[in-house]
Amino acid sequence: MINKIVISTDIRKAVSEAVGAIPHDRLFLLTDETTDRLCRPLIEDIPCMQNAQSIVIGATDTHKNLDTLAAVWTALSNGGGSRHSLMVNLGGGMVTDLGGFAASTFKRGIPYINIPTTLLSMVDASVGGKTGINFNGLKNEIGVFRTPETVIIDTEFLRTLDHENICSGYAEMLKHGLINNSQLSTFSSPHIQS
Ligand SMILES: NC(=O)c1ccc[n+]([C@@H]2O[C@H](COP(=O)([O-])OP(=O)(O)OC[C@H]3O[C@@H](n4cnc5c(N)ncnc54)[C@H](O)[C@@H]3O)[C@@H](O)[C@H]2O)c1
């Protein structure tokens, strides 16, 4: 099933509409240590988010593992999460991958919304419904395909993103362009060879 992708210029409105569209008993907000500090302030005082229970995990791919996943399941369970709860994942691809998997497996699957905060997650990771964790030394070894209810893409979040992660997102965009567009591929090849 194709999910709903909202290209937002008004994050408050987009979040209100997306959260409001899904009836829920409890709301959970997953962030990593960095997005909790830099991105959560952009949405935390939206009325629909004020009762959200916050779950904060370590940042970067090294935390995309079973221990972190278990910590998120524990927080959902201890927070009274039910089949009718809703989860919002606010972060880069690490948060949307792990959060999407946690939501997809808790109580056999609760709905979730992705709010990507890196360029890479906006153009790729948050959108296609690929969720999962690294396991046994292997990348994305365990996971499921399950699409978020809504993906809210708002470039306002990119203001705090560092140069390295902006370049990482551009590289992903270039890769998709080269794979999908033969004209771009032909046009680009002299530059790559030089
Ligand atoms: N599911 C998919 O289809 C898919 C596709 C590509 C990549 N991925 C996965 O995505 C992950 C990589 O995603 P990523 O590149 O977004 O990395 P990331 O989520 O690890 O984020 C990179 C760093 O940027 C920080 N950050 C995030 N948003 C920020 C912001 N707005 N301002 C400042 N700092 C911010 C994070 O805290 C982290 O330290 C990998 O785990 C990869 O396997 C998944």
Side-chain angles (χ1 to χ4, degrees):
M1 191 176 75
I2 304 287
N3 52 21
K4 184 175 179 191
I5 299 173
V6 177
I7 309 292
S8 153
T9 52
D10 181 346
I11 189 66
R12 300 179 67 85
K13 181 166 175 275
V15 170
S16 299
E17 287 178 358
V19 170
I22 304 163
H24 54 274
D25 56 3
R26 284 188 172 74
L27 180 63
F28 294 89
L29 173 63
L30 182 72
T31 53
D32 70 30
E33 287 161 351
T34 308
T35 61
D36 195 60
R37 185 166 48 87
L38 297 175
C39 304
R40 186 158 68 102
L42 274 70
I43 65 164
E44 67 186 346
D45 68 338
I46 301 171
C48 68
M49 294 303 297
Q50 282 179 1
N51 290 329
Q53 298 185 51
S54 175
I55 306 173
V56 185
I57 58 177
T60 77
D61 204 63
T62 55
H63 291 98
K64 205 174 92 175
N65 58 31
L66 193 54
D67 286 345
T68 310
L69 179 66
V72 174
W73 282 331
T74 303
L76 291 169
S77 185
N78 290 347
S82 78
R83 280 176 46 224
H84 307 291
S85 298
L86 173 64
M87 186 149 150
V88 174
N89 300 319
L90 178 69
M94 183 268 175
V95 169
T96 57
D97 271 18
L98 187 142
F101 187 45
S104 301
T105 45
F106 182 73
K107 300 278 184 191
R108 301 194 179 100
I110 61 171
Y112 69 99
I113 292 168
N114 280 344
I115 309 180
T117 62
T118 64
L119 185 56
L120 184 139
S121 60
M122 289 178 187
V123 300
D124 189 357
S126 71
V127 180
K130 285 195 273 178
T131 75
I133 57 165
N134 305 327
F135 182 71
N136 199 23
L138 299 167
K139 192 132 175 58
N140 301 324
E141 180 73 346
I142 309 289
V144 297
F145 288 91
R146 189 161 175 274
T147 49
E149 300 292 320
T150 308
V151 181
I152 300 172
I153 297 173
D154 195 315
T155 54
E156 192 64 26
F157 291 108
L158 299 179
R159 286 183 190 280
T160 53
L161 194 63
D162 60 28
H163 180 70
E164 190 182 333
N165 278 297
I166 291 284
C167 289
S168 167
Y170 275 125
E172 196 65 31
M173 292 164 71
L174 189 60
K175 184 185 92 181
H176 282 288
L178 291 171
I179 291 170
N180 291 327
N181 185 327
S182 57
Q183 256 187 327
L184 180 62
S185 180
T186 311
F187 172 75
S188 302
S189 51
H191 299 281
I192 290 169
Q193 284 164 3
S194 65

